[in-house]
Amino acid sequence: MQNPKAQAPITRETDNSMAQGSNNNDAFLNSAMQFMQAGQAFAQQFMDAVGKAQPQAGSSLPPPVVDPQALTALQKQFMDQQMSLWQSILARQKGESTDFRVAPEPGDRRFNAPEWHDSPIYDYIHQAYLLNVQYLKEVVETIPVQDEKGRERLRFTARQLADALAPTNFAATNPEFIKQALETKGQSITDGINNLIKDFEKGRISMTDESVFEVGRNIATTEGAVVYENDVMQLIQYAPLTPKVGKRPLLVVPPCINKFYIMDLQPDNSLIRYMVEQGNTVFLVSWRNPQEAQGHLGWDDYLENGPIAALTVVKEITRVKQVNALGFCVGGTILTSALAVLKARGDDSVASLTLLTTLLDFSDTGEIGLFIDEQGVSAREATIGEGGLLPARDLQNTFSFLRANDLVWNYVQNNYLKGQKPQAFDLLYWNSDSTNLPGPFACWYMRNMYLENRLREPGALSMCGEKVDLGALDMPVYLLATREDHIVPWQSAYQGTRLLGGPVRFVLGASGHIAGVINPVSKNKRSYWINDDVKNDAEGWLTAASEMKGSWWADWAGWLQAYSGEQRAARKIGTTKYKAIEPAPGRYVKERAV
């Protein structure tokens, strides 16, 4: 976007008075002209690319035609802003005050360092970039599209291009790189190159110092043992931390597209440990990281050998007829589907259901849905639909580019330009420990959930030989969504209140998909919203909701206690039939993707 060689016609004549002055000012003005030209040229190239990507002859979809008057108005506004920026930079050089400044969007920290503001050159570069980005976004809004999803695709693509071309990502336009190189006498450049070589060998960007952490040693350390395993999962039973426990145990089903230990990172932020501390006998499904030998597994395999098998084992170990169950993200979708299968078989094994950031209605899936369309799903089905793996690297890249500045370009700048070693951070270690997915499972999930949204329709899907109906699930439900979730939009999670047949307590947590869920009571951070009336739509629910300070964990623990049954002596791990196979967290969670 800032390529000085990019050329595009500038129709407005430059005020002669601006062109007068020192040679430095002349050069500065030329740079301003080039930035304006680059911004216009990039936007035009983007529109040309969009036009070529649209169906042409023989298609019912017309090629996009931008309103020329709207585009002319945008161009004039853009050039006026660039001129104002140039004048404001010159005024500050002369010590004169000026009110014109281009501010980043809220939360954009890329240009916070003083080096971007102390030098007039870099002060201009970063503000000109922000103007170019604004112009590109406004141009995107003028391009005709067939539907809102098409508009969102254009916005997403434009944002990815703009983020990739930021001056922070290049040595020549990043003053922080230059400062670091001078202060270290070039050592930061050497270190950056070495970091880049190491990451090439790993095949991914390093987000944290991975040498600090080890699963089972200093993360995922809640005491327990694996009491059952099959080709899909291991079942962990955790050791009690209270002398008495509720009669009904709690089965936890985490997502299978990530490792479970996001729920058990450190003792002070472990949701698993908190569950045990509340007097629950806790069991957890630890999904296997599938390798080629598991590449044939499908959706039904995960239901039968995941929650359904786990429920059978948990009931036998604890000698109860009903248990409480909790599902997180995709784990919640899998768990709910499994319970619908059991319900169709006349099995009511679950007394209460907790769903954390879970989609049951896939009408609006946020930006993840932009990656899934008929063409893409068909291509996956043709390659891995009958067997094979969806690689962990593909999944990790997809999720990372949803927040590219934080999870991609931030590390390009720090690791490679500044030569810094990533800091040790348990959450980012987990984020880098990705999993594969069996091709048949992934393809079935993408088509039937994301693409066709059939889970919400009673009887539309057959799973494990049964037609499923979520409305038949009449147990009490605790449904948590998080307000800034970019993976499971909270309004979409709220639609679960319309699909499930039992009483639903909907709670909205602050923050995002992970931070909103992993929010320990002990830290007393953030807040959550409650409203017992779920008859309104999502926005109506929020308008009438009450904000509560702190973590939702305590609210959920109080809710669950009513379904835990009478107190009894704490249980030992396993039975004669289900003996401890190995200590928690087990070997499945330690298998890394290749």
Side-chain angles (χ1 to χ4, degrees):
M1 192 174 300
Q2 300 176 20
N3 179 5
K5 296 181 181 179
Q7 299 293 325
I10 301 295
T11 57
R12 175 174 174 171
E13 293 184 359
T14 305
D15 191 329
N16 290 334
S17 62
M18 294 182 188
Q20 296 174 352
S22 68
N23 291 334
N24 287 339
N25 286 349
D26 287 341
F28 210 40
L29 177 60
N30 289 333
S31 297
M33 293 295 100
Q34 290 172 347
F35 270 99
M36 284 191 288
Q37 292 171 342
Q40 286 184 309
F42 187 82
Q44 184 61 52
Q45 291 167 3
F46 182 82
M47 288 190 293
D48 292 344
V50 169
K52 292 177 182 178
Q54 293 288 332
Q56 301 296 324
S59 170
S60 60
L61 298 176
V65 178
V66 178
D67 181 352
Q69 291 183 339
L71 185 59
T72 298
L74 284 179
Q75 289 174 333
K76 182 179 184 303
Q77 174 185 290
F78 172 68
M79 289 186 288
D80 286 343
Q81 290 175 326
Q82 287 282 7
M83 284 295 184
S84 296
L85 172 60
W86 179 73
Q87 289 177 312
S88 71
I89 295 293
L90 290 182
R92 277 193 286 274
Q93 279 187 284
K94 297 175 183 178
E96 300 172 0
S97 62
T98 174
D99 294 330
F100 187 87
R101 174 164 286 278
V102 187
E105 293 183 352
D108 185 352
R109 303 183 299 273
R110 290 176 294 176
F111 306 107
N112 283 0
E115 289 79 17
W116 290 101
H117 308 278
D118 294 343
S119 163
I121 294 176
Y122 294 109
D123 195 19
Y124 173 77
I125 285 176
H126 91 266
Q127 290 189 73
Y129 162 77
L130 293 174
L131 280 181
N132 287 353
V133 172
Q134 289 178 14
Y135 177 60
L136 178 60
K137 289 180 177 179
E138 290 166 346
V139 167
V140 165
E141 298 304 314
T142 69
I143 300 175
V145 292
Q146 294 296 122
D147 52 31
E148 186 57 27
K149 188 171 184 178
R151 174 80 61 204
E152 290 296 334
R153 283 197 183 100
L154 287 180
R155 290 169 180 159
F156 179 82
T157 303
R159 191 180 82 226
Q160 296 302 314
L161 292 171
D163 290 348
L165 293 172
T168 47
N169 300 335
F170 302 95
T173 53
N174 188 329
E176 296 176 72
F177 159 81
I178 296 172
K179 178 185 177 183
Q180 189 83 357
L182 292 173
E183 289 180 347
T184 63
K185 298 180 180 179
Q187 185 60 45
S188 62
I189 299 176
T190 301
D191 293 341
I193 293 173
N194 289 332
N195 289 342
L196 180 62
I197 293 172
K198 291 177 182 177
D199 282 358
F200 264 123
E201 293 173 350
K202 283 197 293 188
R204 55 185 170 83
I205 296 175
S206 295
M207 297 183 178
T208 186
D209 183 356
E210 297 178 8
S211 65
V212 172
F213 300 104
E214 182 182 343
V215 176
R217 180 177 63 84
N218 55 2
I219 49 177
T221 58
T222 300
E223 185 180 353
V226 175
V227 293
Y228 171 83
E229 68 182 33
N230 57 36
D231 204 33
V232 174
M233 62 89 178
Q234 288 187 319
L235 182 66
I236 298 172
Q237 181 181 356
Y238 289 97
L241 293 172
T242 55
K244 290 185 177 294
V245 296
K247 178 181 178 181
R248 289 195 184 111
L250 173 64
L251 172 65
V252 178
V253 182
C256 59
I257 60 174
N258 297 108
K259 301 290 184 68
F260 81 79
Y261 63 85
I262 185 59
M263 306 176 76
D264 188 30
L265 288 171
Q266 305 284 341
D268 64 346
N269 65 354
S270 170
L271 179 53
I272 295 298
R273 185 178 181 86
Y274 179 81
M275 294 172 179
V276 179
E277 290 174 340
Q278 303 313 300
N280 296 297
T281 303
V282 178
F283 293 81
L284 178 137
V285 170
S286 173
W287 300 104
R288 187 170 199 171
N289 189 354
Q291 308 302 316
E292 290 296 334
Q294 291 81 44
H296 64 284
L297 297 173
W299 182 263
D300 286 0
D301 296 307
Y302 270 68
L303 267 55
E304 289 282 14
N305 297 308
I308 294 177
L311 285 168
T312 299
V313 175
V314 170
K315 289 191 297 180
E316 289 185 13
I317 289 177
T318 58
R319 298 178 182 177
V320 298
K321 293 182 179 179
Q322 284 191 313
V323 308
N324 298 312
L326 178 149
F328 181 13
C329 188
V330 180
T333 309
I334 292 173
L335 173 60
T336 307
S337 299
L339 297 184
V341 169
L342 291 177
K343 187 69 175 181
R345 295 174 180 174
D347 186 329
D348 289 308
S349 292
V350 171
S352 77
L353 174 63
T354 300
L355 297 176
L356 311 180
T357 60
T358 295
L359 282 175
L360 301 178
D361 184 330
F362 289 71
S363 299
D364 178 8
T365 56
E367 288 189 333
I368 286 183
L370 303 179
F371 292 90
I372 302 174
D373 55 20
E374 178 60 44
Q375 183 179 2
V377 172
S378 296
R380 293 285 190 188
E381 289 171 336
T383 54
I384 60 174
E386 297 299 323
L389 295 175
L390 179 60
R393 189 177 303 171
D394 289 3
L395 292 169
Q396 185 176 25
N397 288 341
T398 297
F399 286 109
S400 292
F401 275 98
L402 294 178
R403 295 171 53 203
N405 281 333
D406 292 331
L407 297 178
V408 178
W409 302 117
N410 175 56
Y411 297 101
V412 169
Q413 297 154 28
N414 291 334
N415 298 5
Y416 310 148
L417 293 185
K418 300 179 186 178
Q420 297 175 353
K421 184 178 182 180
Q423 295 182 346
F425 189 18
D426 54 3
L427 177 60
L428 291 177
Y429 178 84
W430 166 83
N431 192 63
S432 300
D433 191 7
S434 300
T435 61
N436 303 314
L437 282 180
F441 170 93
C443 291
W444 193 96
Y445 177 57
M446 286 188 287
R447 175 166 294 284
N448 289 283
M449 304 297 184
Y450 276 90
L451 197 59
E452 299 181 1
N453 193 18
R454 300 174 69 194
L455 182 60
R456 65 177 179 174
E457 303 173 25
L461 286 177
S462 290
M463 303 178 188
C464 306
E466 307 287 350
K467 289 188 177 295
V468 298
D469 178 6
L470 300 188
L473 298 178
D474 55 1
M475 74 283 286
V477 178
Y478 189 101
L479 186 55
L480 174 85
T482 51
R483 196 165 183 176
E484 299 167 24
D485 196 336
H486 64 290
I487 295 174
V488 178
W490 80 265
Q491 296 90 340
S492 299
Y494 182 81
Q495 296 308 309
T497 64
R498 304 293 191 263
L499 300 177
L500 299 166
V504 179
R505 178 173 178 79
F506 183 81
V507 176
L508 181 63
S511 196
H513 189 71
I514 297 301
V517 173
I518 309 304
N519 183 24
V521 171
S522 60
K523 296 186 178 180
N524 197 32
K525 286 185 176 181
R526 306 186 182 94
S527 58
Y528 60 97
W529 289 261
I530 57 174
N531 178 3
D532 292 333
D533 184 4
V534 292
K535 295 178 182 178
N536 292 325
D537 61 15
E539 295 301 335
W541 179 92
L542 181 58
T543 299
S546 300
E547 183 177 0
M548 313 296 290
K549 297 299 182 182
S551 171
W552 63 271
W553 288 14
D555 180 77
W556 169 75
W559 176 89
L560 184 66
Q561 189 174 17
Y563 307 104
S564 297
E566 67 273 14
Q567 294 288 295
R568 49 150 294 167
R571 300 175 173 96
K572 295 181 180 179
I573 292 178
T575 63
T576 303
K577 180 179 178 181
Y578 296 103
K579 296 179 180 180
I581 298 172
E582 60 182 329
R587 66 188 185 282
Y588 278 14
V589 74
K590 297 178 182 179
E591 294 177 347
R592 297 188 70 93
V594 294

